[in-house]
């Protein structure tokens, strides 16, 4: 249903005929970690996330998985080597 509280005009799963059914009756504002994210939208009552009603919960266990401004800290691991193929390769080369 279309939101009539914080983000008027946007479709929201929390909006019911009786009003916003989200915890607290409205979306929660973005937190400092969301600064610079492409999903932050400015509304008359503050800045909110286009995707989540409670942005703080997306940062509880680390980086928000939809954050457009923060890169993942996971480094790509070294290329895996198949031990069987490596053994055959070394036999062919006479090592
Ligand atoms: S997608 Fe994640 S980082 Fe971006 S505004 Fe929403 S909660 Fe914040």
């Amino acid at each position: 249903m279309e939101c009539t509280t914080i983000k008027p005009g946007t479709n929201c799963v929390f909006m019911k005929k009786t009003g916003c059914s989200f915890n607290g009756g409205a979306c929660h504002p973005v937190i400092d970690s969301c600064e610079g994210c492409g999903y932050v939208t400015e509304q008359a009552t503050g800045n909110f996330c286009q995707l989540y009603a409670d942005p703080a919960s997306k940062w509880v266990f680390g980086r928000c998985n939809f954050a457009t401004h923060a890169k993942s800290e996971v480094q790509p691991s070294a290329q895996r080597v198949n031990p069987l193929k490596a053994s055959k390769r070394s036999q062919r080369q006479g090592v």
Side-chain angles (χ1 to χ4, degrees):
M1 237 178 123
E2 201 167 283
C3 178
T4 58
T5 57
I6 298 288
K7 297 182 257 185
T10 56
N11 271 329
C12 182
V13 295
F14 293 111
M15 203 64 195
K16 309 288 180 208
K17 287 180 181 171
T18 55
C20 181
S21 63
F22 187 68
N23 182 20
C27 291
H28 298 186
V30 294
I31 61 173
D32 291 344
S33 303
C34 297
E35 287 278 330
C37 179
Y39 290 111
V40 174
T41 176
E42 283 185 37
Q43 301 293 330
T45 52
N47 291 345
F48 295 88
C49 177
Q50 294 174 14
L51 303 179
Y52 298 105
D54 186 12
S57 66
K58 293 299 292 178
W59 289 89
V60 169
F61 298 111
R63 176 185 160 272
C64 169
N65 57 331
F66 280 96
T68 61
H69 62 304
K71 297 266 186 218
S72 175
E73 294 170 6
V74 177
Q75 298 294 321
S77 62
Q79 184 178 7
R80 291 183 184 250
V81 177
N82 183 334
L84 185 59
K85 288 183 178 177
S87 173
K88 287 180 179 176
R89 196 176 308 124
S90 67
Q91 284 178 352
R92 262 187 276 135
Q93 294 173 351
V95 177

